[in-house]
Amino acid sequence: MPRPSPAQLSRRERQIMDIVYRFGQATALDVLEHMPDPPSYSAVRAMLRVLEEKGHLKHTRAGRRYVFLPVVSRGEARRAALANVLHNFFGGSVGQVVATLRDIKSPELSPTEIDELRALIDQVKEEGR
């Protein structure tokens, strides 16, 4: 069965998935309490059901409540989302992604982050030989 694509999620569905990933699991009430400008409780329950039907969530029962858990790990979801951005916005060019990240006016890279990037580049160079 193919993995669900994060690109197929609406804004609200992404918000719900972010909450579930942040806490590892969530009930409809958890989602309602942490969602910005939340819809009604029944709308949250309906969206959770849709996310389950799409293959993004699964549930277990805890008493009378359903507890929702992500189907894929957060790491897998990150890789899939980034691969989608890489393909759709940068034509598959990792170099363009890094250049764009550098252009963003965000805090400077720490010496540790620079060392990690150098190590990754060295690893890629070694694998290419």
Side-chain angles (χ1 to χ4, degrees):
M1 181 165 127
R3 291 284 189 197
S5 170
Q8 299 170 345
L9 297 179
S10 70
R11 177 182 60 89
R12 284 298 203 182
E13 289 171 339
R14 281 192 307 274
Q15 288 174 337
I16 291 171
M17 291 304 298
D18 289 344
I19 293 165
V20 174
Y21 277 122
R22 187 177 331 134
F23 296 107
Q25 63 182 31
T27 64
L29 186 58
D30 295 330
V31 170
L32 188 67
E33 289 174 351
H34 292 93
M35 184 179 257
D37 190 30
S40 68
Y41 179 76
S42 60
V44 169
R45 286 180 47 211
M47 285 184 274
L48 286 164
R49 187 177 60 252
V50 167
L51 284 166
E52 190 168 17
E53 289 169 0
K54 287 183 175 183
H56 293 278
L57 294 175
K58 58 186 175 184
H59 76 270
T60 60
R61 287 190 69 114
R64 293 180 45 212
R65 296 178 185 221
Y66 283 177
V67 178
F68 292 88
L69 304 112
V71 170
V72 298
S73 71
R74 186 175 198 137
E76 283 182 76
R78 283 178 178 165
R79 283 187 291 281
L82 192 53
N84 185 50
V85 169
L86 178 68
H87 174 74
N88 289 323
F89 292 96
F90 297 96
S93 171
V94 173
Q96 286 182 11
V97 171
V98 173
T100 301
L101 288 173
R102 180 63 184 106
D103 287 345
I104 296 172
K105 301 294 184 212
S106 61
E108 292 298 315
L109 293 171
S110 71
T112 301
E113 290 171 320
I114 291 169
D115 289 342
E116 290 171 351
L117 286 171
R118 281 192 181 117
L120 285 170
I121 291 168
D122 290 344
Q123 181 183 357
V124 169
K125 285 180 180 178
E126 278 298 313
E127 291 171 359
R129 292 183 183 168

